[in-house]
Amino acid sequence: TDVASTTTRQSHTMIRLGLLAYTCTLLVCSSSSLIASHPLCTNVNGVRSRLGRKILRANAESLDLSSLFPFIKPAKPSANVEELKTNIRKAAKGTDNGVTASQATREKIAELVSELEAANPTRKLTTSKRMNGEWKLVYTTNEGSSAGKFGPFVGEVVQEVALDDGEYLNVVSLGNGAFKGTLTATWDILSPSKWKVKFKDIKLELFGVTLQEKPLEAVGTWRMSYLDDDFRVLYAMGGKNQEKENVYILAK
């Protein structure tokens, strides 16, 4: 009797799981079919257009099974993001923005950044409002002026981004602001994760007095890999002794 009862319960469980899978399939298929039949989703030859494919993809991504079936729990992030950010800050502390970091420290930070990038919460980094504001450089593998290095000194580097104005400032300060170098730039959006950066001009000041100001015609590419409300990771070509892709970590 016990064996028969157990077998019956197992059968009922399998039936319920089968019905659940069938219901989910119907939900996806029926909603996709409705969207696919919309005039915007087909061209004159009846072939699904690019817009149609985007709509179908968005529809599939927006289907939240956990809201339909409460016993299905959404997956938790694999990485503890706040812990990763804290560990990156700790590892970068005392390295002069990364300029004096040891090889072991560089490798440790690279590993932490890789884990953080896997948990990136922002899909369209280049247009996200999260980009706006003042960001302080935490660490970079660039050992030149982009790291705030002028001669034997390393200063504080702050980046001020204004999306609506289409402009950002890169400000390097030494001696509590006694010396300041300000780089102004604009950008073109290449993709959801890339900017083509166009440098406009640079100004050097000492105690508020302009020492030099000149236009620039240089361009570069930012490849962004992580962005949340108070932490950013991006890559750009450059270097003091050789051209390479450097990582830049900034925080609010």
Side-chain angles (χ1 to χ4, degrees):
T1 303
D2 290 341
V3 174
S5 178
T6 301
T7 302
T8 301
R9 285 197 299 271
Q10 291 176 343
S11 299
H12 288 168
T13 300
M14 293 299 295
I15 291 171
R16 283 196 293 271
L17 290 174
L19 288 173
L20 172 61
Y22 179 67
T23 302
C24 292
T25 304
L26 285 178
L27 283 169
V28 174
C29 292
S30 61
S31 57
S32 298
S33 298
L34 286 171
I35 294 173
S37 64
H38 194 280
L40 289 175
C41 296
T42 57
N43 61 19
V44 292
N45 296 318
V47 179
R48 202 170 284 145
S49 67
R50 185 179 300 172
L51 176 59
R53 289 196 295 272
K54 287 184 178 179
I55 294 174
L56 285 172
R57 184 165 58 250
N59 180 68
E61 290 174 350
S62 65
L63 183 62
D64 183 7
L65 292 180
S66 63
S67 65
L68 297 172
F69 306 101
F71 52 85
I72 298 179
K73 302 297 182 183
K76 294 182 179 180
S78 58
N80 186 328
V81 171
E82 293 305 318
E83 183 178 349
L84 286 171
K85 293 193 293 186
T86 297
N87 289 339
I88 290 172
R89 290 176 189 267
K90 286 181 179 179
K93 188 175 181 180
T95 66
D96 289 328
N97 299 333
V99 173
T100 61
S102 65
Q103 185 58 36
T105 297
R106 292 177 184 273
E107 291 174 0
K108 179 180 180 180
I109 291 176
E111 184 178 337
L112 291 169
V113 167
S114 180
E115 290 184 55
L116 185 66
E117 289 169 333
N120 174 47
T122 308
R123 292 183 61 185
K124 297 181 179 179
L125 295 87
T126 51
T127 55
S128 173
K129 295 296 184 182
R130 286 172 163 168
M131 285 285 292
N132 280 318
E134 186 175 288
W135 300 84
K136 182 179 178 181
L137 181 66
V138 173
Y139 171 86
T140 179
T141 51
N142 189 314
E143 298 176 3
S145 58
S146 292
K149 192 173 190 303
F150 282 91
F153 306 105
V154 179
E156 180 183 76
V157 181
V158 174
Q159 194 174 91
E160 301 171 12
V161 181
L163 280 183
D164 292 340
D165 296 336
E167 184 176 270
Y168 82 83
L169 304 178
N170 218 60
V171 184
V172 178
S173 300
L174 292 170
N176 294 319
F179 172 83
K180 184 180 293 185
T182 304
L183 180 71
T184 306
T186 61
W187 63 83
D188 291 329
I189 297 172
L190 300 179
S191 75
S193 62
K194 284 185 179 180
W195 274 359
K196 177 182 179 181
V197 178
K198 299 178 289 184
F199 303 104
K200 293 172 59 179
D201 56 64
I202 186 170
K203 180 169 68 173
L204 303 178
E205 301 171 272
L206 183 63
F207 297 111
V209 178
T210 300
L211 301 177
Q212 183 181 27
E213 187 171 8
K214 63 178 181 179
L216 298 174
E217 295 183 356
V219 297
T221 302
W222 281 7
R223 180 174 66 84
M224 309 175 198
S225 60
Y226 184 89
L227 173 64
D228 65 19
D229 293 331
D230 62 7
F231 218 77
R232 289 169 56 204
V233 178
L234 65 94
Y235 296 82
M237 297 297 293
K240 183 178 178 182
N241 300 315
Q242 62 177 352
E243 188 79 359
K244 63 176 182 176
E245 188 178 55
N246 292 289
V247 64
Y248 295 82
I249 303 171
L250 304 101
K252 286 186 175 179

